[in-house]
Amino acid sequence: MENVVIIGSGPAGLTAAIYAGRSMLNPLVIAGHAMGGQAALTAEIENYPGFPDGISGPDLAQLFQRQAEKFGARIEYDIVTSVDFSRHPFKITTYGGEIEAKTVIICTGVSPRKLDVPGEKEFAGRGVSYCATCDGFFYRDKVVAVVGGGDAAVEEGLYLTRFAKKVYLIHRRNRLRANPSAQKRAEQNEKMAFVWNSVVTEVVGDDKVTGLRIRNVETGEESLLPVDGVFVYIGQVPKTDLFVGQVEMDEAGFIITDRRMHTSVPGVFAAGDVQGRVLAQVVTAAGSGAIAAMEAERFLAELEGEPYPERKHG
Ligand code: NAP
């Protein structure tokens, strides 16, 4: 019987593990395929406090993991296939077996939104990518496109200029929503070119991507942009399929919590991008993970009939 099972190993999950570990709860983290979540797929994180010179996503994820393990968290690379929150203790089924848990913290995060156009699926891994950190290196002196106008598109586009000779940024409007600092750097970067008011309608190629069919949404004009690869950064969708019918979600599939990260099921908490839609940042994911872990501790204490000191958070 586990005290706390944390599903997911991004900044929210690993911070929950640090806090639950420090509370001597011996938490179990079910990490998924890889450690670190979306943050670990980010080339450079410039706004996480304590790292004035920035830190790479993979390096930060490793530090989180080290700190969690230092406090006794157990991390398993396993995948949850189903959960049953209708009973207590909760039941969690993974490829590795069945686990019973007194509390669960859901930190499954988000996954990249797809373009949903012909050619996208066919050329995935052959020119279509959702991770510049993972695949940028393969585009040395090549021409690539990035789709999107948010922080991820602009920052990862800038990262790609380290390798590619040209980076087109294709955006459906004529204004970016990315932070001004990244926008400025993108505008000043000679390798970057903006394709405004445009959407990708098809990914084309032979054995790998050779171009993108693009439609100008203002004029309706269609054109073919020759590129060797395309990186899709058009936002994210929550990874909550597992929890449908188990906890309350909003219309977009994000898990609804209160300010203390309680879901609709007592003893089940959610933290990070999977519930937070106000500000999707490493620092907010970590903060919500910490709150979830402290609330799990409170829940366990109440379960055992132990007095629990009131904490001042809302
Ligand atoms: P985002 O901020 O939601 O931006 C998504 C972009 O994709 C928007 O420009 C949007 O266009 C466009 N888009 C959405 N659906 C589209 C479609 N079907 N076709 C074409 N374009 C489409 O997503 P994100 O950049 O992945 O960032 C997600 C969150 O992580 C944000 O909160 C962001 O601030 C955060 N983040 C922060 C940093 C950082 O602080 N350094 C880095 C990465 C991510 P419109 O503009 O027209 O809506």
Side-chain angles (χ1 to χ4, degrees):
M1 172 77 71
E2 298 289 342
N3 288 319
V4 186
V5 171
I6 298 165
I7 309 177
S9 62
L14 291 176
T15 305
I18 291 168
Y19 276 73
R22 282 190 83 234
S23 296
M24 312 298 282
L25 295 177
N26 192 26
L28 173 67
V29 179
I30 303 177
H33 289 298
M35 187 69 55
Q38 294 289 302
L41 304 180
T42 305
E44 190 76 19
I45 297 174
E46 289 183 327
N47 50 8
Y48 190 68
F51 298 92
D53 301 320
I55 181 165
S56 83
D59 286 352
L60 185 59
Q62 256 183 26
L63 291 174
F64 280 150
Q65 177 184 356
R66 225 176 77 199
Q67 204 167 351
E69 286 178 331
K70 178 178 147 190
F71 292 119
R74 291 159 298 138
I75 297 177
E76 284 184 7
Y77 289 94
D78 198 355
I79 304 284
V80 176
T81 52
S82 69
V83 295
D84 184 356
F85 296 157
S86 66
R87 43 163 277 183
H88 195 269
F90 307 119
K91 192 168 96 181
I92 298 167
T93 308
T94 71
Y95 284 146
E98 274 181 11
I99 301 164
E100 291 205 311
K102 294 181 195 167
T103 65
V104 174
I105 305 178
I106 301 170
C107 304
T108 45
V110 290
S111 56
R113 177 176 290 128
K114 305 287 190 295
L115 285 169
D116 202 16
V117 298
E120 182 180 27
K121 237 187 231 156
E122 293 83 332
F123 290 110
R126 292 187 294 138
V128 175
S129 173
Y130 305 89
C131 178
T133 322
C134 320
D135 301 328
F137 183 77
F138 300 115
Y139 294 90
R140 198 170 282 280
D141 294 324
K142 304 243 162 119
V143 177
V144 299
V146 173
V147 189
D151 283 329
V154 176
E155 292 190 357
E156 300 305 311
L158 279 165
Y159 172 73
L160 286 167
T161 61
R162 294 188 198 176
F163 310 101
K165 63 179 178 198
K166 181 116 204 149
V167 177
Y168 289 105
L169 193 133
I170 303 169
H171 184 33
R172 63 183 179 183
R173 294 186 296 134
N174 64 357
R175 263 188 77 203
L176 300 171
R177 70 162 70 230
N179 66 81
S181 144
Q183 283 194 36
K184 194 165 163 207
R185 276 182 288 139
E187 281 156 14
Q188 289 171 347
N189 191 307
E190 286 175 0
K191 286 187 175 178
M192 286 199 85
F194 297 89
V195 183
W196 299 116
N197 298 318
S198 298
V199 291
V200 174
T201 55
E202 187 182 353
V203 181
V204 293
D206 35 46
D207 59 329
K208 54 187 176 43
V209 169
T210 56
L212 299 173
R213 220 173 283 287
I214 284 170
R215 181 165 48 81
N216 184 304
V217 293
E218 299 262 282
T219 63
E221 194 185 322
E222 304 253 350
S223 58
L224 185 72
L225 182 69
V227 295
D228 301 299
V230 56
F231 290 80
V232 182
Y233 283 105
I234 58 169
Q236 298 165 335
V237 289
K239 290 201 260 185
T240 49
D241 288 358
L242 272 177
F243 310 109
V244 172
Q246 300 280 338
V247 293
E248 265 178 38
M249 296 178 195
D250 69 13
E251 71 293 342
F254 289 86
I255 294 177
I256 296 172
T257 68
D258 63 12
R259 287 195 301 160
R260 295 178 178 221
M261 308 306 144
H262 290 240
T263 68
S264 54
V265 179
V268 177
F269 307 86
D273 286 357
V274 78
Q275 62 79 41
R277 297 185 72 188
V278 179
L279 186 63
Q281 295 283 308
V282 178
V283 70
T284 47
S288 63
I291 295 171
M294 299 323 288
E295 288 301 306
E297 184 190 3
R298 174 203 297 276
F299 181 90
L300 288 165
E302 284 171 1
L303 207 64
E304 311 293 333
E306 289 168 16
Y308 187 85
E310 190 60 30
R311 284 198 167 82
K312 284 186 184 165
H313 54 239

